Amino acid sequence: MISDEVLQSTDALLFGRRTWQVMAAAWPTRAGDPFADRMNALPKYVASRALGADDLTWNSTLLPGGDVLGAVRELRERDGKGLQVMGSASVARQLIEHDLVDEYRLMLEPILLGGGKRVFPETGQQRRLELVSATTTGTGVLMCTYRAA
């Protein structure tokens, strides 16, 4: 499964508060398949000013002071596979704005919703990308990996 491959190249996950709350409520009860087991085992970092360290479960750590940018810069200096953002549009937008994204893994779903949260900054700054890979799943999801050109 493609998603399994993505998680195998990840050392930790980064979430905003709302996405973490949804994921932490759902994933710990799932077990027995490689993706769920890996999701539950990975360390998680949470950007939040509303949650306290005592509120966190699911192998999660609160970023100090909610400082996403400083924490990600520090985490990037460590050796390892990588830090992955799932969902968390506002966190992703901040990382993109400050050139802290090395690779984009975009999933294009075969459905139009006509709305949603913006992931990309509205600054108008051009960021050239190169396509690394593109795969279509059996359900028609297009999985594209891009890196900064």
Side-chain angles (χ1 to χ4, degrees), residues 34-94:
F35 186 83
D37 292 345
R38 181 76 176 144
M39 275 288 288
N40 289 324
L42 281 170
K44 290 112 185 136
Y45 295 97
V46 182
S48 174
R49 291 183 186 92
L51 295 174
D54 292 340
D55 297 323
L56 300 183
T57 58
W58 193 42
N59 197 21
S60 302
T61 302
L62 188 64
L63 295 180
D67 180 15
V68 175
L69 302 176
V72 168
R73 285 184 181 109
E74 182 181 315
L75 290 167
R76 285 170 54 113
E77 291 178 11
R78 298 180 187 174
D79 289 333
K81 297 175 185 174
L83 180 64
Q84 182 174 321
V85 178
M86 288 184 163
S88 305
S90 63
V91 171
R93 192 171 38 256
Q94 288 180 61

Side-chain angles (χ1 to χ4, degrees), residues 4-13 38 42-43 75-85 102-103 105 147:
D4 293 337
E5 294 171 19
V6 170
L7 284 187
Q8 292 307 319
S9 64
T10 300
D11 280 330
L13 301 172
R38 181 76 176 144
L42 281 170
L75 290 167
R76 285 170 54 113
E77 291 178 11
R78 298 180 187 174
D79 289 333
K81 297 175 185 174
L83 180 64
Q84 182 174 321
V85 178
D102 297 320
E103 189 171 84
R105 293 182 177 168
R147 288 196 189 115

Side-chain angles (χ1 to χ4, degrees), residues 1-2 106-110 133-145:
M1 178 181 214
I2 296 167
L106 305 176
M107 295 170 37
L108 303 176
E109 303 280 342
S133 66
T135 307
T136 304
T137 68
T139 59
V141 176
L142 183 60
M143 310 272 292
C144 299
T145 302

